[in-house]
Amino acid sequence: MEILVASAVGTLTAAGIYLILRMRTFPVIVGLALLSYAVNVFIFASGRLAVGLPPVLSYTAEGYTDPLTQALVLTAIVISFGMTAVIVMVALGAFLEAGTDRMDSDDEAGR
Amino acid sequence: MNHWIIAPVVLPAVLAPLIVLFMRHDLVLQRVFSLAGTIALCGVSGVLLVSASTNPPEAYFLGNWPAPFGIVLVLDRLAAVMVALTAFLALMVQLYAIGTGWDRRGQHFHALYQFQLMGICGAFLTGDAFNLFVFFEVLLIASYGLMIHGGGRARLRSGVQYVAYNLMGSTLFLFALATIYSVAGTLNLADLAERVAAMPEAETAILRVAGVLLLIVFAIKGALVPFQFWLPGTYAAAPGPVAALFAVMTKVGAYAVIRVFNLIFPPETPATGGFFAELLLPAALVTLAIGAMGVLGAASIGRLVAFGAIASMGTLFTAVAGFTPASTSAALFYLLHSTLATAALFLVADLVLARRGSEDLTQRQPPVAQEGLIAALFFVGAIALAGMPPLSGFLGKLLILDALRGPGMALIWGTVLVTSLLMIVGFARAGSLLFWKSHETLAEPEPHRPDTLAFVAVGGLVAGLVALTVAAGPVSAALGSIADELAERTPYIASNRLTEPAR
């Protein structure tokens, strides 16, 4: 399971960074989303991987998994969701104003 | 528990939604309430400053959950000073925004402004690493809105770059926090400090990775080379008052470095040693050099000041990298000074821009209206940011140079002194292009509203600089005691009451 989770985080991160380097708004936004998925799985794994264990108090449980990382992931998901919405709106505004979806500065905007 | 500690977070957090919900159509009402909120923030920060300077660090346990299980805010002298600085700057910048009518050029300026203050104050007060991330996000999401306030092609395009860059920074912050959590099992700063200090050296490879990741995150915030690329475009394209407020946002990065790397990874930690200082110092010196060269070569007013801001961050991080009480104290003095100086210069640049046809420095334009006063303010701001006597920039640099005596001194002193010269030349060139060459056109200045309130705001920032210069002795003594408290670490850790049984 460790191999599976680790390679998933690695693949998501690699794909996200590749897309961000495309420097056009749509791939960049998708790349940022992939990066945030990768980091969410990574945070989850930082509390150690466990199968079938409850995170909160239970009379029958033999052990517990770390509940804190689940709370952290939840916060991170909410924030990254909001941030993605913001960048979509800003990017849309920029596209409508400038008529191009290139993010690197190729004109007077970056001088 | 002292409930005033959470007031700088709660006050703007309550005010901002009220402004959005009930005053969205009435700008006068927005201005009154937002200004009242900022003045109240100044009052609260004064109360906190007095309380922190007479008491040891004090923790505020949210929901009364004991640390490290709950989130804590910690008020120590450093946090109090930073909150007071933010409140003063926010008041002046807000007066400027109202005086020039910047807040009228788009929707929800005042609501976003209050959310921004909430994020900044929260980041200074929090005693929990994950909570620091949350407040970073609060201040960033508000800054995204403020950055594109007023719209326009260049601003929106820079806005996309700024948002994307900072989203990557946030992701990296999460990676760093998760890495730390996987090693130390806690995210409370005081608890982390104790556990990291007790960790045997053999087990700390991952911890060092996490520390470097954190340093990168804070370097992105503080515009340290090689993560400074977002700053010139963003600050040059942002509305003038917003860029001035952002002067304290880069300082949030510097504050986080001072806090985390003095508390959790001080140089005497067996696991990390002087590793971070060795990383930080060269980056800071290169930042300083690049900032100074940018000032010398800037083609527009906005980028001129933005590169000045980068250079000041370089100077600041040079002092921070010393990690001794003396250098931290000098860094704090320079931090206060450079925040005010950068903000004042951004506002002056905006005053010029509002009266001049082009932001291009080399383009010949007729003289601007109210030229004498604006030129004088530019002169004062440039002197302050370049670090020439008689203003506090000179004293700040003097303190930094004095604190960084020792090995490597030739390189540090050389870089700081040569870049100061470059900045003086750069600002002199810009000033003469803006204010002297304009008289060659023989055209009359176009009349412009006098904007009394805007000049009052810039004057207030300059008065702050003068006060910092006049009171340099007492201020640097107080900052010295803050630096001692930071180096000692135990008062901060003790305030979290980690060993006490649950109440």
Side-chain angles (χ1 to χ4, degrees):
Chain A
M1 192 165 62
E2 280 81 2
I3 296 282
L4 188 66
V5 172
S7 52
V9 172
T11 315
L12 280 170
T13 311
I17 288 176
Y18 174 76
L19 284 176
I20 287 171
L21 294 179
R22 298 293 297 273
M23 277 296 166
R24 284 176 176 269
T25 48
F26 185 71
V28 166
I29 293 171
V30 175
L32 286 168
L34 286 183
L35 264 188
S36 73
Y37 296 155
V39 81
N40 289 341
V41 177
F42 184 74
I43 297 174
F44 204 76
S46 72
R48 305 293 180 270
L49 297 169
V51 179
L53 295 178
V56 287
L57 214 57
S58 153
Y59 288 115
T60 54
E62 293 160 4
Y64 295 100
T65 179
D66 192 336
L68 187 74
T69 49
Q70 306 196 0
L72 298 185
V73 168
L74 196 61
T75 315
I77 289 174
V78 172
I79 288 178
S80 67
F81 183 70
M83 291 295 175
T84 309
V86 170
I87 193 176
V88 167
M89 293 311 293
V90 177
L92 198 60
F95 174 67
L96 293 176
E97 283 271 344
T100 170
D101 68 341
R102 290 186 64 87
M103 287 184 64
D104 42 353
S105 312
D106 55 343
D107 58 6
E108 84 277 8
R111 210 170 39 165
Chain B
M1 268 197 301
N2 178 0
H3 288 283
W4 285 108
I5 295 176
I6 202 170
V9 181
V10 170
L11 181 72
V14 171
L15 199 57
L18 286 180
I19 290 173
V20 174
L21 290 174
F22 300 116
M23 308 167 205
R24 60 163 74 190
H25 300 300
D26 192 342
L27 188 64
V28 177
L29 214 56
Q30 283 184 22
R31 284 177 172 176
V32 169
F33 272 80
S34 186
L35 203 55
T38 314
I39 291 172
L41 187 66
C42 284
V44 169
S45 69
V47 171
L48 291 182
L49 200 55
V50 172
S51 155
S53 55
T54 48
N55 299 318
E58 189 177 1
Y60 183 85
F61 301 92
L62 285 154
N64 216 10
W65 288 92
F69 305 109
I71 291 170
V72 290
L73 303 181
V74 180
L75 175 76
D76 66 346
R77 287 182 228 170
L78 175 59
V81 167
M82 296 303 294
V83 170
L85 174 69
T86 309
F88 174 69
L89 179 71
L91 182 63
M92 291 305 149
V93 172
Q94 194 169 26
L95 286 177
Y96 182 88
I98 292 173
T100 49
W102 260 111
D103 55 349
R104 204 184 294 128
R105 299 196 199 174
Q107 294 264 303
H108 303 310
F109 179 86
H110 289 289
L112 287 168
Y113 197 84
Q114 293 295 330
F115 275 127
Q116 173 92 66
L117 293 182
M118 171 200 172
I120 296 175
C121 291
F124 288 142
L125 284 168
T126 186
D128 183 281
F130 198 80
N131 201 226
L132 183 65
F133 163 75
V134 173
F135 278 121
F136 266 29
E137 294 307 297
V138 172
L139 76 87
L140 282 175
I141 203 161
S143 77
Y144 302 154
L146 285 176
M147 152 84 216
I148 57 169
H149 178 78
R153 178 184 146 88
R155 196 167 292 152
L156 277 164
R157 292 203 63 188
S158 305
V160 178
Q161 293 174 357
Y162 173 63
V163 177
Y165 206 99
N166 274 294
L167 282 184
M168 281 185 274
S170 304
T171 313
L172 205 58
F173 201 171
L174 282 174
F175 272 116
L177 291 177
T179 313
I180 288 186
Y181 184 75
S182 69
V183 191
T186 181
L187 287 172
N188 177 290
L189 291 181
D191 199 20
L192 265 177
E194 288 201 320
R195 294 201 191 189
V196 168
M199 231 175 249
E201 195 176 344
E203 292 174 21
T204 50
I206 299 180
L207 193 72
R208 279 199 290 274
V209 173
V212 173
L213 285 179
L214 269 186
L215 192 62
I216 292 175
V217 172
F218 300 149
I220 292 175
K221 291 282 164 307
L224 197 65
V225 169
F227 307 104
Q228 90 292 7
F229 296 104
W230 62 273
L231 194 142
T234 306
Y235 281 35
V242 173
L245 182 68
F246 282 8
V248 79
M249 237 172 54
T250 44
K251 306 306 186 285
V252 175
Y255 163 83
V257 171
I258 293 174
R259 171 71 78 206
V260 167
F261 289 91
N262 275 300
L263 185 67
I264 303 176
F265 305 105
E268 62 267 21
T269 313
T272 52
F275 178 51
F276 297 112
E278 286 162 23
L279 281 179
L280 201 54
L281 184 61
L285 292 178
V286 176
T287 310
L288 186 50
I290 286 188
M293 284 185 243
V295 168
L296 201 56
S300 75
I301 311 168
R303 292 179 83 82
L304 172 83
V305 188
F307 276 106
I310 290 184
S312 77
M313 290 312 289
T315 315
L316 179 53
F317 275 116
T318 307
V320 170
F323 287 115
T324 60
S327 71
T328 308
S329 159
L332 291 175
F333 188 86
Y334 195 76
L335 190 155
L336 294 179
H337 155 78
S338 67
T339 308
L340 297 178
T342 315
L345 214 48
F346 269 120
L347 294 185
V348 174
D350 188 62
L351 284 175
V352 174
L353 218 55
R355 289 161 175 75
R356 199 169 185 268
S358 158
E359 63 166 357
D360 196 336
L361 281 174
T362 47
Q363 204 169 334
R364 207 57 58 78
Q365 293 279 335
V368 296
Q370 294 115 30
E371 188 185 51
L373 188 53
I374 296 179
L377 288 171
F378 180 85
F379 184 58
V380 172
I383 283 181
L385 204 57
M388 280 209 297
L391 281 173
S392 47
F394 173 71
L395 298 172
K397 283 196 175 171
L398 208 59
L399 285 171
I400 290 174
L401 293 181
D402 188 42
L404 293 178
R405 269 189 264 189
M409 175 179 151
L411 182 65
I412 297 172
W413 280 45
T415 312
V416 172
L417 293 175
V418 170
T419 52
S420 298
L421 179 65
L422 286 183
M423 283 174 72
I424 291 168
V425 175
F427 279 121
R429 165 183 165 271
S432 49
L433 282 176
L434 281 176
F435 300 111
W436 280 346
K437 293 276 182 185
S438 59
H439 288 284
E440 290 178 2
T441 56
L442 297 175
E444 283 300 303
E446 278 182 36
H448 194 277
R449 281 188 305 134
D451 288 341
T452 318
L453 197 57
F455 283 106
V456 168
V458 184
L461 289 174
V462 171
L465 284 173
V466 172
L468 196 62
T469 315
V470 172
V475 169
S476 60
L479 295 176
S481 76
I482 293 179
D484 290 337
E485 189 179 271
L486 280 175
E488 203 185 341
R489 305 201 302 147
T490 38
Y492 188 94
I493 297 172
S495 73
N496 280 262
R497 287 187 256 165
L498 296 166
T499 49
E500 248 177 55
R503 279 152 294 134

